[in-house]
PDB file of all heavy atoms in Angstrom:
ATOM      1  N   PRO B 209      -5.568  49.837 -61.860  1.00 74.00           N
ATOM      2  CA  PRO B 209      -5.820  49.232 -60.548  1.00 74.00           C
ATOM      3  C   PRO B 209      -7.154  48.477 -60.546  1.00 74.00           C
ATOM      4  O   PRO B 209      -8.128  48.891 -61.162  1.00 74.00           O
ATOM      5  CB  PRO B 209      -5.881  50.438 -59.614  1.00 74.00           C
ATOM      6  CG  PRO B 209      -6.328  51.568 -60.498  1.00 74.00           C
ATOM      7  CD  PRO B 209      -5.725  51.302 -61.840  1.00 74.00           C
ATOM      8  N   SER B 210      -7.173  47.356 -59.835  1.00 83.00           N
ATOM      9  CA  SER B 210      -8.418  46.623 -59.647  1.00 83.00           C
ATOM     10  C   SER B 210      -9.182  47.251 -58.498  1.00 83.00           C
ATOM     11  O   SER B 210      -8.581  47.674 -57.503  1.00 83.00           O
ATOM     12  CB  SER B 210      -8.124  45.145 -59.336  1.00 83.00           C
ATOM     13  OG  SER B 210      -7.393  44.562 -60.379  1.00 83.00           O
ATOM     14  N   MET B 211     -10.477  47.312 -58.617  1.00 88.00           N
ATOM     15  CA  MET B 211     -11.298  47.914 -57.579  1.00 88.00           C
ATOM     16  C   MET B 211     -12.119  46.837 -56.878  1.00 88.00           C
ATOM     17  O   MET B 211     -12.762  46.009 -57.516  1.00 88.00           O
ATOM     18  CB  MET B 211     -12.228  48.969 -58.184  1.00 88.00           C
ATOM     19  CG  MET B 211     -11.512  50.102 -58.909  1.00 88.00           C
ATOM     20  SD  MET B 211     -10.463  51.107 -57.814  1.00 88.00           S
ATOM     21  CE  MET B 211     -11.714  51.897 -56.798  1.00 88.00           C
ATOM     22  N   VAL B 212     -12.082  46.854 -55.551  1.00 88.00           N
ATOM     23  CA  VAL B 212     -12.883  45.953 -54.730  1.00 88.00           C
ATOM     24  C   VAL B 212     -13.582  46.779 -53.664  1.00 88.00           C
ATOM     25  O   VAL B 212     -12.924  47.440 -52.857  1.00 88.00           O
ATOM     26  CB  VAL B 212     -12.009  44.864 -54.074  1.00 88.00           C
ATOM     27  CG1 VAL B 212     -12.850  44.028 -53.111  1.00 88.00           C
ATOM     28  CG2 VAL B 212     -11.369  43.979 -55.119  1.00 88.00           C
ATOM     29  N   ASP B 213     -14.905  46.758 -53.702  1.00 88.00           N
ATOM     30  CA  ASP B 213     -15.691  47.488 -52.707  1.00 88.00           C
ATOM     31  C   ASP B 213     -15.271  48.959 -52.629  1.00 88.00           C
ATOM     32  O   ASP B 213     -15.165  49.545 -51.562  1.00 88.00           O
ATOM     33  CB  ASP B 213     -15.553  46.824 -51.340  1.00 88.00           C
ATOM     34  CG  ASP B 213     -16.648  47.264 -50.377  1.00 88.00           C
ATOM     35  OD1 ASP B 213     -17.791  47.447 -50.829  1.00 88.00           O
ATOM     36  OD2 ASP B 213     -16.354  47.446 -49.184  1.00 88.00           O
ATOM     37  N   GLY B 214     -15.017  49.551 -53.792  1.00 87.00           N
ATOM     38  CA  GLY B 214     -14.676  50.966 -53.847  1.00 87.00           C
ATOM     39  C   GLY B 214     -13.251  51.306 -53.500  1.00 87.00           C
ATOM     40  O   GLY B 214     -12.891  52.484 -53.396  1.00 87.00           O
ATOM     41  N   MET B 215     -12.386  50.285 -53.335  1.00 89.00           N
ATOM     42  CA  MET B 215     -10.980  50.532 -52.994  1.00 89.00           C
ATOM     43  C   MET B 215     -10.089  49.811 -53.988  1.00 89.00           C
ATOM     44  O   MET B 215     -10.372  48.679 -54.392  1.00 89.00           O
ATOM     45  CB  MET B 215     -10.680  50.018 -51.582  1.00 89.00           C
ATOM     46  CG  MET B 215     -11.400  50.776 -50.483  1.00 89.00           C
ATOM     47  SD  MET B 215     -10.629  52.375 -50.105  1.00 89.00           S
ATOM     48  CE  MET B 215      -9.213  51.839 -49.158  1.00 89.00           C
ATOM     49  N   PRO B 216      -8.987  50.442 -54.399  1.00 87.00           N
ATOM     50  CA  PRO B 216      -8.065  49.787 -55.330  1.00 87.00           C
ATOM     51  C   PRO B 216      -7.216  48.729 -54.639  1.00 87.00           C
ATOM     52  O   PRO B 216      -6.808  48.894 -53.486  1.00 87.00           O
ATOM     53  CB  PRO B 216      -7.200  50.947 -55.838  1.00 87.00           C
ATOM     54  CG  PRO B 216      -7.236  51.939 -54.735  1.00 87.00           C
ATOM     55  CD  PRO B 216      -8.584  51.820 -54.093  1.00 87.00           C
ATOM     56  N   THR B 217      -6.947  47.656 -55.332  1.00 83.00           N
ATOM     57  CA  THR B 217      -6.071  46.609 -54.805  1.00 83.00           C
ATOM     58  C   THR B 217      -4.669  46.762 -55.399  1.00 83.00           C
ATOM     59  O   THR B 217      -4.439  47.594 -56.273  1.00 83.00           O
ATOM     60  CB  THR B 217      -6.605  45.217 -55.157  1.00 83.00           C
ATOM     61  OG1 THR B 217      -6.621  45.073 -56.590  1.00 83.00           O
ATOM     62  CG2 THR B 217      -8.006  45.025 -54.617  1.00 83.00           C
ATOM     63  N   HIS B 218      -3.750  45.952 -54.948  1.00 82.00           N
ATOM     64  CA  HIS B 218      -2.363  45.936 -55.422  1.00 82.00           C
ATOM     65  C   HIS B 218      -1.641  47.253 -55.159  1.00 82.00           C
ATOM     66  O   HIS B 218      -0.654  47.576 -55.818  1.00 82.00           O
ATOM     67  CB  HIS B 218      -2.297  45.575 -56.910  1.00 82.00           C
ATOM     68  CG  HIS B 218      -2.920  44.251 -57.215  1.00 82.00           C
ATOM     69  ND1 HIS B 218      -4.243  44.130 -57.585  1.00 82.00           N
ATOM     70  CD2 HIS B 218      -2.423  42.995 -57.160  1.00 82.00           C
ATOM     71  CE1 HIS B 218      -4.525  42.857 -57.780  1.00 82.00           C
ATOM     72  NE2 HIS B 218      -3.449  42.136 -57.523  1.00 82.00           N
ATOM     73  N   VAL B 219      -2.159  48.029 -54.201  1.00 82.00           N
ATOM     74  CA  VAL B 219      -1.473  49.237 -53.763  1.00 82.00           C
ATOM     75  C   VAL B 219      -1.516  49.239 -52.232  1.00 82.00           C
ATOM     76  O   VAL B 219      -2.366  48.603 -51.629  1.00 82.00           O
ATOM     77  CB  VAL B 219      -2.138  50.523 -54.301  1.00 82.00           C
ATOM     78  CG1 VAL B 219      -2.062  50.584 -55.806  1.00 82.00           C
ATOM     79  CG2 VAL B 219      -3.584  50.620 -53.844  1.00 82.00           C
ATOM     80  N   PRO B 220      -0.576  49.933 -51.591  1.00 82.00           N
ATOM     81  CA  PRO B 220      -0.596  49.974 -50.123  1.00 82.00           C
ATOM     82  C   PRO B 220      -1.863  50.641 -49.595  1.00 82.00           C
ATOM     83  O   PRO B 220      -2.383  51.587 -50.180  1.00 82.00           O
ATOM     84  CB  PRO B 220       0.641  50.801 -49.784  1.00 82.00           C
ATOM     85  CG  PRO B 220       1.515  50.692 -50.985  1.00 82.00           C
ATOM     86  CD  PRO B 220       0.575  50.610 -52.150  1.00 82.00           C
ATOM     87  N   ILE B 221      -2.372  50.116 -48.508  1.00 87.00           N
ATOM     88  CA  ILE B 221      -3.543  50.691 -47.848  1.00 87.00           C
ATOM     89  C   ILE B 221      -3.137  51.059 -46.427  1.00 87.00           C
ATOM     90  O   ILE B 221      -2.482  50.292 -45.743  1.00 87.00           O
ATOM     91  CB  ILE B 221      -4.718  49.693 -47.817  1.00 87.00           C
ATOM     92  CG1 ILE B 221      -5.227  49.442 -49.240  1.00 87.00           C
ATOM     93  CG2 ILE B 221      -5.859  50.227 -46.953  1.00 87.00           C
ATOM     94  CD1 ILE B 221      -6.334  48.407 -49.311  1.00 87.00           C
ATOM     95  N   GLY B 222      -3.507  52.243 -45.963  1.00 90.00           N
ATOM     96  CA  GLY B 222      -3.154  52.635 -44.604  1.00 90.00           C
ATOM     97  C   GLY B 222      -3.739  53.973 -44.258  1.00 90.00           C
ATOM     98  O   GLY B 222      -4.879  54.272 -44.613  1.00 90.00           O
ATOM     99  N   VAL B 223      -2.960  54.800 -43.556  1.00 91.00           N
ATOM    100  CA  VAL B 223      -3.402  56.138 -43.176  1.00 91.00           C
ATOM    101  C   VAL B 223      -2.481  57.156 -43.806  1.00 91.00           C
ATOM    102  O   VAL B 223      -1.382  56.840 -44.252  1.00 91.00           O
ATOM    103  CB  VAL B 223      -3.431  56.295 -41.645  1.00 91.00           C
ATOM    104  CG1 VAL B 223      -4.462  55.368 -41.028  1.00 91.00           C
ATOM    105  CG2 VAL B 223      -2.067  56.028 -41.042  1.00 91.00           C
ATOM    106  N   THR B 224      -2.909  58.389 -43.827  1.00 88.00           N
ATOM    107  CA  THR B 224      -2.181  59.438 -44.539  1.00 88.00           C
ATOM    108  C   THR B 224      -1.353  60.297 -43.585  1.00 88.00           C
ATOM    109  O   THR B 224      -1.584  60.305 -42.375  1.00 88.00           O
ATOM    110  CB  THR B 224      -3.162  60.354 -45.285  1.00 88.00           C
ATOM    111  OG1 THR B 224      -3.949  61.052 -44.305  1.00 88.00           O
ATOM    112  CG2 THR B 224      -4.073  59.553 -46.195  1.00 88.00           C
ATOM    113  N   PRO B 225      -0.390  61.055 -44.108  1.00 88.00           N
ATOM    114  CA  PRO B 225       0.355  61.993 -43.259  1.00 88.00           C
ATOM    115  C   PRO B 225      -0.559  62.974 -42.530  1.00 88.00           C
ATOM    116  O   PRO B 225      -0.277  63.373 -41.414  1.00 88.00           O
ATOM    117  CB  PRO B 225       1.276  62.704 -44.250  1.00 88.00           C
ATOM    118  CG  PRO B 225       1.475  61.712 -45.353  1.00 88.00           C
ATOM    119  CD  PRO B 225       0.155  61.009 -45.477  1.00 88.00           C
ATOM    120  N   GLU B 226      -1.658  63.365 -43.176  1.00 89.00           N
ATOM    121  CA  GLU B 226      -2.585  64.299 -42.547  1.00 89.00           C
ATOM    122  C   GLU B 226      -3.209  63.716 -41.289  1.00 89.00           C
ATOM    123  O   GLU B 226      -3.475  64.421 -40.313  1.00 89.00           O
ATOM    124  CB  GLU B 226      -3.678  64.699 -43.541  1.00 89.00           C
ATOM    125  CG  GLU B 226      -3.230  65.667 -44.619  1.00 89.00           C
ATOM    126  CD  GLU B 226      -2.374  65.011 -45.698  1.00 89.00           C
ATOM    127  OE1 GLU B 226      -2.323  63.767 -45.758  1.00 89.00           O
ATOM    128  OE2 GLU B 226      -1.744  65.746 -46.483  1.00 89.00           O
ATOM    129  N   GLN B 227      -3.464  62.400 -41.307  1.00 93.00           N
ATOM    130  CA  GLN B 227      -4.042  61.772 -40.120  1.00 93.00           C
ATOM    131  C   GLN B 227      -3.081  61.798 -38.934  1.00 93.00           C
ATOM    132  O   GLN B 227      -3.511  61.698 -37.795  1.00 93.00           O
ATOM    133  CB  GLN B 227      -4.431  60.322 -40.423  1.00 93.00           C
ATOM    134  CG  GLN B 227      -5.700  60.190 -41.256  1.00 93.00           C
ATOM    135  CD  GLN B 227      -5.984  58.741 -41.574  1.00 93.00           C
ATOM    136  OE1 GLN B 227      -5.301  58.157 -42.401  1.00 93.00           O
ATOM    137  NE2 GLN B 227      -6.966  58.165 -40.922  1.00 93.00           N
TER     138      GLN B 227
END
Side-chain angles (χ1 to χ4, degrees):
S210 301
M211 301 296 292
V212 174
D213 197 37
M215 294 282 284
T217 62
H218 302 92
V219 296
I221 293 177
V223 295
T224 66
E226 285 75 13
Q227 285 177 286

